[in-house]
Amino acid sequence: AQKITQTQPGMFVQEKEAVTLDCTYDTSDPSYGLFWYKQPSSGEMIFLIYQGSYDQQNATEGRYSLNFQKARKSANLVISASQLGDSAMYFCAMSSDQTGANNLFFGTGTRLTVIP
Amino acid sequence: SAVISQKPSRDICQRGTSLTIQCQVDSQVTMMFWYRQQPGQSLTLIATANQGSEATYESGFVIDKFPISRPNLTFSTLTVSNMSPEDSSIYLCSVKAGTGLKNIQYFGAGTRLSVL
């Protein structure tokens, strides 16, 4: 069975500092994809970053990077130089052949608050 | 990426009534997805809507309660039927961009539904 675990219900970070949001996953599939989404209070889900299980390098997208540790089955999101606009819910998600390649399975989310 | 317009953005409905949510995409897409996000929870996939065929529902969701239409490659509707307060949620549509497990989904802004 697929499982995504986000153990931090809430996180605080000082503006301009970096923050790491944790995500661990469990799958028996050798091939899978990992995703991070941001959900501001307005409700929309915004795609941030993707990591494939066979990708050799950690994914980066601007201030976002994904710390992918395959042996530990973790895919932590690192946000550098935090901004007030980064305050939101952050969801880790996975797709795999078991979930169906078209399906995204989401974790419970972490609420990030950026402090001025 | 795709631009997805979802209407209405929010609604307050009476118990026993039905609400139809519309999702319009700015490009032709094969698959559209409908999700539910109950208060304080993560996203749960309701169904996958393919043009020209019946929607595929996930476990726990049935067509009588959540009928879906997909008349063309840019539009879909989700109806929440015979509503009860337990249906109060955010409903989101999404489309898939990418191939295989790089199942990047782009979401509409969501519909916040409150049932009295």
Side-chain angles (χ1 to χ4, degrees):
Chain A
Q2 313 299 301
K3 190 173 183 180
I4 292 276
T5 302
Q6 295 181 253
T7 57
Q8 307 154 314
M11 288 283 287
F12 291 87
V13 64
Q14 203 75 39
E15 192 178 7
K16 300 180 184 178
E17 297 293 313
V19 63
T20 298
L21 306 182
D22 295 342
C23 173
T24 59
Y25 59 91
D26 191 15
T27 179
S28 56
D29 269 332
S31 182
Y32 49 89
L34 296 159
F35 307 77
W36 278 92
Y37 282 84
K38 171 185 177 181
Q39 186 178 41
S41 58
S42 52
E44 75 267 33
M45 293 288 284
I46 302 168
F47 166 72
L48 296 178
I49 196 166
Y50 165 83
Q51 178 85 43
S53 59
Y54 291 117
D55 292 345
Q56 295 297 312
Q57 293 186 325
N58 287 345
T60 61
E61 290 286 350
R63 294 188 298 112
Y64 304 109
S65 60
L66 201 152
N67 184 3
F68 181 46
Q69 298 189 43
K70 194 170 183 177
R72 295 186 176 183
K73 293 189 174 180
S74 73
N76 298 339
L77 177 70
V78 180
I79 304 174
S80 63
S82 297
Q83 302 171 356
L84 296 178
D86 294 334
S87 294
M89 284 290 291
Y90 288 81
F91 291 94
C92 182
M94 178 171 65
S95 66
S96 72
D97 288 334
Q98 280 191 19
T99 63
N102 295 313
N103 293 359
L104 282 181
F105 187 76
F106 286 85
T108 54
T110 296
R111 181 172 298 282
L112 176 66
T113 302
V114 180
I115 303 167
Chain B
S1 65
V3 176
I4 302 164
S5 302
Q6 196 172 328
K7 294 192 294 187
S9 59
R10 58 177 64 233
D11 207 340
I12 301 173
C13 299
Q14 295 296 319
R15 181 195 300 258
T17 63
S18 298
L19 176 72
T20 295
I21 302 168
Q22 299 179 4
C23 184
Q24 178 79 49
V25 189
D26 68 341
S27 58
Q28 294 185 338
V29 294
T30 303
M31 288 184 172
M32 295 178 76
F33 305 88
W34 287 99
Y35 288 83
R36 181 177 73 181
Q37 186 179 24
Q38 294 178 301
Q41 304 293 316
S42 187
L43 277 71
T44 302
L45 182 65
I46 298 172
T48 302
N50 293 328
Q51 193 269 336
S53 64
E54 292 282 337
T56 302
Y57 289 83
E58 298 299 306
S59 176
F61 298 96
V62 295
I63 188 171
D64 290 346
K65 175 66 175 177
F66 297 102
I68 288 171
S69 78
R70 185 77 203 275
N72 57 52
L73 291 173
T74 62
F75 187 78
S76 178
T77 66
L78 169 76
T79 299
V80 186
S81 303
N82 188 25
M83 288 184 284
S84 67
E86 292 71 34
D87 294 320
S88 298
S89 297
I90 299 175
Y91 292 86
L92 299 109
C93 68
S94 73
V95 302
K96 174 183 173 180
T99 57
L101 289 172
K102 193 171 183 178
N103 177 20
I104 297 172
Q105 293 188 17
Y106 295 95
F107 287 80
T111 296
R112 290 180 184 269
L113 171 62
S114 296
V115 184
L116 304 177

